[in-house]
Structure formats: structure tokens, C-alpha cells
Amino acid sequence: MSEFVNQIMDLVKAKNPAEPEFHQAVQEVVDSLDLVIERHPEYRTAKVIERIVEPERVMMFRVPWLDDQGDVQVNRGFRIEMNSAIGPYKGGLRFHPSVNLGILKFLAFEQVFKNSLTTLPMGGGKGGSDFDPKGKSDNEVMRFCQSFMTELQRHIGPNTDVPAGDIGVGGREIGFLFGQYKRVRNEFTGVLTGKGLAWGGSLIRPEATGYGAVYFAAEMLATRGETLEGKTCLVSGSGNVAQYTTEKINELGGKVVTLSDSSGYIYDPDGIGTEKLAFVMDLKNVRRGRIKEYTDKFKSATYTALDNSLDHNPLWNHKADCAFPSATQNEVNAVDAGNLLSNGVYVVSEGANMPTVPDGVEKFIEAKILYGPGKAANAGGVAVSGLEMSQNSLRLSWTREEVDGRLQGIMKSIHKSCYDAAERFGTPGNYVNGANIAGFLKVADTMLDQGVV
Ligand code: NDP
Ligand code: 2IT
């Protein structure tokens, strides 16, 4: 490790103790930036890196609400406003019991570079709560969202900070949050993205992250003159990103053989085609059931419960060509990465944020496979959020074809920026360096333009 990387990491660890995911996300970026700093000492002089790792603002607040029994419940709410150099803070809200300050800082940090890559004018932010929507009634979710927004509303706005969905926050939650914002502020504005179509949402936003991750994989494959046609794909998760990843892979002629949730995974060697995917969407989005129920309906599939005593996740141990980790951070460990490689996987496109541990990433890079890191591969979601903001400003709605066309154009452009930056900085084919460097340069140059703020 260089003296520069050591110095930054010492600083980040001292200032942000007990936040391992944040340290991990920063480490990966500064490792790549080592290549940039050599050629551009001006970023060091202006302490751009020291500033970029420090959130511009952090909000942490109490979220009290009444459950269906009339008992008082208390959760913790957060919003990290990480960087506004190139536009208003933009990024999702995550509701999951594992949420804490460090996890949201890692997500907000990643978001800065991701948003920069999209070509749209968006800064980076992230927020959420340790609230667990699982097993809660719609009314409980509504009361929680209303309490959360009663505080959050004073910090956000369509030109200031525009939240959206992430794990545990989908159309239902965005609706409750928007309703409360509108009521408290008496303003109908594009303060959130992922809205319903009748009240300012964009076509293709629900599909965008999954579709984008598949478009990114297709772009990587195109560099070798290949397509997704006939490819066997492993997908993890069964939420928003996993569902639309599966839909697009099917459309492009690939076959998805796995899906999962936090309890286990299903393996269906016949492929999760259109009819089976419709069942999964109803199961997860309407009935809010568990993926295990897939095997009650489709006998071609087997279910394997998650076994924490294993050193690996068997989902990643099937013969395949492509993998789309689409559940959560650090879901692919170093053993999993080795298993993927030995099973023939040579395309990994990350729908989730930071799903692969650093030793796993190193294995992919050493093996010179087509590895698209989350901040590039899953940027389609926030990109279409940016397009939702544009449509809100215009007070117009674009067609499906228009939005999907723009999404495809943006994913192509992200791929090209990453590919070119990797080559320009001496590591051809390394999309990790490419994404970190290309995402960084736009924000860093803007920070130089705007002075010490
Ligand atoms: P959803 O809440 O719709 O789905 C999450 C899925 O991942 C569920 O199947 C869930 O299983 C599983 N999961 C969540 N936490 C864990 C865990 N700790 N261990 C194992 N499985 C888990 O979320 P999304 O699909 O929206 O998000 C998935 C990933 O994609 C996240 O990393 C998110 O940050 C990222 N992402 C999302 C974007 C978006 O637009 N929604 C944009 C870019 C990235 P269970 O039901 O059991 O919890
Ligand atoms: O991680 C992400 O990029 C998201 N959860 C989407 C953020 C957004 O503002 O649409």
C-alpha cells in the first residue's frame, strides 16, 4: 500500500471507528485513486480526498410510532448528505434491521461516484432506518413512514436532497413518504423518486436497476464479441433488482437458474421463465412471502436453506456463465468468488451495492473475467431517478421507449467511461479502477472549481 493510501485509511479509521463497511468502500476507491494522484498532485494539495471522505452533513433522529397493538416503538432514522459538488444529494432510503451509520456512509460514499458516472447532475446521499418492514401491517408501515418523514422533510427538497428506494423501500413506502411530505410542506414537488405513475413517477424506474445491470453485462460481453443469448445466469435476491434482472436476461435469451432471500435460495435448472417470474413477483411484491414457496409451485426446483456454519453460499456453486449478485453487501465471499470461477462464471455484474468482499474482487480481477462493480453496473436505477427528476421539472412524462432508450444510452456511456479510464490509467479491463477513477475525476474537478467548501 502506498503512503497516500495508508494516510487516508488511517484518517478514515480514526474518524469513523467501528464502521467496517465504510472503511471497505473507501479503501477500494483510494486504492484505485493511487494511480490518479501520481499524475495529478493538485488533488492532494487541495485535499480533495480528505474532503470527499467526510460527509457534508449527517442527520440522525428518533422515529417513534405506534404499532397495531397501540404500543410505542422507537427506531432510528438517518440521512447522510455526502457530496453536492455536481448536483443535489441523491440516493435511496434503506429500511432493514441491520442499518446503522457505517452502512449508510458506505452507501452514500458509493453513491457519489455512481451518480457522477451516470452523466446526470446528481450529488450523493443515502438514508434509512433500522426499521424492519417484514411482518408489519400496511398501517404500521404507514405510521412509521409518516413519523420518519415528519423529521426528514426539514432536510430535503427537490433542489436539495432527493431520496428514493433501496432495500425495504419500494412503491408502497415511497407513497406513504410522499403523502406525508406533501401534507407537512403543502408542496407537490419531485422530492422523491420511484413515485407512482399517476403522481409524478417515471416509466421504467421500477425496472431500471435490474435492466441496467443486464445492459452493463451485455456491454462487457460485447467487448469479446459475445451476447447473453444462451447464457446460464445465477441471480441472488428476489426483490426489485433481482426480479427485473431476471426479466431482462429472459428477454435477451439467457436462462436464470437461481433466486434467493435471506432465508435460502432456489435452484431451478429449467430456468425461471416468464410465468415463473410472474409468480415470484406476486409472491414477493403482493403476498410478501418467502422464496421457499417457489418449490411448492414448481417441482423442477430445489430449495436450500441458508446455513451459516458453511464457509460459502452454495448458490454461487453451480455451473454458469454469468452471476448477478442482487441482494446485499458482502454476499459473495472469497470462497464464493473461487467457486464462481471454477464453475465457469466469467461475467459478474453487480446489481447490489458492494456485494463482493475485497478478496473476492481481487480473485475476479486476477482471473481477468468481465467484472462490473456495483457503482457502475447498478447505476441504471439512480440514472432513471435522475430522468424522473427531469420529467418532474418539465412537468411531462416520457414514454417507456424514450426512458428505456435513455437508460440504454446511459449504461453504454458508463461502460465506455469505465473501460476508457481503466485503459488510460494503465489497467485495461479493470472496471473497478475504471469506475472509481472516472466517477472521481468529475467530482474532484468540480470541487477544485468550487473552492474550499
Ligand atoms: P429489496 O428490498 O426489493 O430486495 C432485497 C432482496 O435481498 C430480498 O430478496 C432480501 O431478502 C435480500 N436481502 C436483503 N438483505 C439481505 C441480507 N442481509 N442477507 C441476504 N439477503 C438479503 O431491495 P432491492 O432489490 O431494491 O435492493 C437489492 C440490492 O440492490 C441492495 O444492495 C441495494 O442497495 C441495491 N440497489 C438497489 C437499487 C434500487 O433501485 N432499488 C439501485 C441500486 C442498487 P429478504 O426478503 O429475506 O430480506
Ligand atoms: O443504490 C442506489 O443507487 C439506489 N438505491 C437508488 C437511488 C436512487 O436515488 O434512485
Side-chain angles (χ1 to χ4, degrees):
M1 235 189 278
S2 77
E3 168 260 328
F4 155 73
V5 173
N6 276 330
Q7 186 196 324
I8 296 291
M9 288 317 300
D10 286 349
L11 173 87
V12 168
K13 287 177 182 165
K15 279 198 165 183
N16 306 274
E19 295 178 3
E21 293 86 1
F22 183 49
H23 304 164
Q24 182 184 333
V26 173
Q27 176 92 55
E28 189 208 278
V29 170
V30 292
D31 279 343
S32 299
L33 295 185
D34 219 9
L35 302 164
V36 177
I37 292 300
E38 276 174 28
R39 296 191 201 172
H40 294 279
E42 66 272 21
Y43 297 133
R44 282 205 83 174
T45 318
K47 296 227 162 60
V48 171
I49 324 279
E50 286 85 340
R51 284 191 275 154
I52 225 167
V53 297
E54 188 69 15
E56 288 179 13
R57 197 174 295 105
V58 172
M59 273 72 70
M60 190 161 106
F61 49 93
R62 180 206 297 159
V63 188
W65 56 282
L66 288 173
D67 67 19
D68 286 346
Q69 284 67 51
D71 290 333
V72 176
Q73 301 288 338
V74 184
N75 286 100
R76 184 170 280 184
F78 303 87
R79 186 73 183 166
I80 318 293
E81 295 182 340
M82 200 75 192
N83 192 298
S84 63
I86 63 168
Y89 309 105
K90 181 82 196 85
L93 295 171
R94 176 176 292 190
F95 293 169
H96 192 272
S98 63
V99 162
N100 59 40
L101 187 60
I103 287 183
L104 294 179
K105 272 196 210 161
F106 119 61
L107 289 163
F109 184 74
E110 291 277 295
Q111 200 80 45
V112 173
F113 304 92
K114 184 195 306 192
N115 292 5
S116 162
L117 287 170
T118 64
T119 71
L120 302 173
M122 298 181 290
K126 199 85 184 192
S129 173
D130 58 2
F131 174 73
D132 186 0
K134 263 197 215 90
K136 304 291 189 300
S137 69
D138 286 350
N139 281 333
E140 288 177 320
V141 170
M142 181 178 72
R143 287 194 293 273
F144 171 80
C145 287
Q146 289 176 340
S147 180
F148 183 84
M149 184 52 90
T150 301
E151 173 58 31
L152 187 67
Q153 58 85 22
R154 69 183 88 249
H155 308 292
I156 62 176
N159 297 310
T160 308
D161 184 354
V162 183
D166 193 76
I167 291 176
V169 177
R172 173 182 63 170
E173 291 74 18
I174 294 293
F176 294 147
L177 292 163
F178 186 79
Q180 184 71 353
Y181 182 89
K182 186 167 63 64
R183 183 183 191 194
V184 174
R185 298 280 289 253
N186 194 24
E187 274 174 13
F188 197 111
T189 59
V191 68
L192 294 164
T193 59
K195 298 186 292 297
L197 287 178
W199 38 280
S202 175
L203 286 160
I204 304 284
R205 177 61 190 88
E207 294 88 340
T209 309
Y211 280 18
V214 179
Y215 293 147
F216 196 86
E219 285 299 312
M220 292 197 294
L221 277 163
T223 64
R224 298 189 181 176
E226 294 183 45
T227 70
L228 275 157
E229 177 85 40
K231 300 279 189 297
T232 299
C233 304
L234 308 175
V235 177
S236 64
S238 51
N240 173 270
V241 179
Q243 292 169 16
Y244 289 104
T245 294
T246 304
E247 183 167 288
K248 186 52 76 177
I249 291 170
N250 286 338
E251 225 179 282
L252 297 183
K255 179 165 89 168
V256 174
V257 294
T258 60
L259 284 174
S260 69
D261 59 26
S262 55
S263 312
Y265 83 99
I266 54 127
Y267 175 63
D268 186 343
D270 291 353
I272 301 163
T274 309
E275 182 211 346
K276 293 170 174 172
L277 179 61
F279 171 84
V280 172
M281 287 185 173
D282 179 65
L283 172 71
K284 300 304 288 187
N285 309 344
V286 182
R287 294 189 280 131
R288 298 187 188 271
R290 308 300 297 160
I291 200 67
K292 183 176 193 296
E293 294 167 52
Y294 182 98
T295 51
D296 301 336
K297 173 95 176 157
F298 302 109
K299 298 300 172 198
S300 50
T302 50
Y303 174 74
T304 308
L306 187 75
D307 180 353
N308 284 320
S309 68
L310 294 178
D311 67 350
H312 69 285
N313 181 348
L315 187 160
W316 305 121
N317 204 8
H318 292 278
K319 280 252 158 303
D321 305 295
C322 314
F324 292 83
S326 308
T328 194
Q329 66 274 359
N330 294 329
E331 58 169 314
V332 178
N333 69 23
V335 179
D336 296 323
N339 287 341
L340 284 167
L341 294 172
S342 54
N343 277 294
V345 168
Y346 66 103
V347 179
V348 177
S349 186
E350 294 183 337
N353 285 305
M354 206 170 76
T356 309
V357 303
D359 289 349
V361 172
E362 212 170 294
K363 285 194 173 158
F364 294 152
I365 290 184
E366 269 171 21
K368 297 198 181 310
I369 63 162
L370 299 168
Y371 169 60
K375 65 170 77 67
N378 73 37
V382 74
V384 174
S385 279
L387 300 178
E388 183 171 329
M389 291 166 71
S390 306
Q391 292 168 80
N392 292 166
S393 298
L394 292 166
R395 298 191 188 278
L396 281 176
S397 305
W398 295 332
T399 61
R400 250 187 114 73
E401 292 69 31
E402 168 89 32
V403 181
D404 195 28
R406 285 179 187 261
L407 170 62
Q408 289 183 46
I410 289 171
M411 295 315 296
K412 255 188 201 307
S413 146
I414 295 174
H415 176 270
K416 186 172 182 339
S417 321
C418 298
Y419 189 90
D420 291 351
E423 199 151 88
R424 208 163 65 246
F425 285 85
T427 57
N430 183 330
Y431 290 96
V432 174
N433 284 340
N436 290 334
I437 294 172
F440 169 79
L441 288 175
K442 181 172 165 189
V443 177
D445 289 337
T446 304
M447 288 172 73
L448 292 182
D449 289 346
Q450 294 176 357
V452 179
V453 293

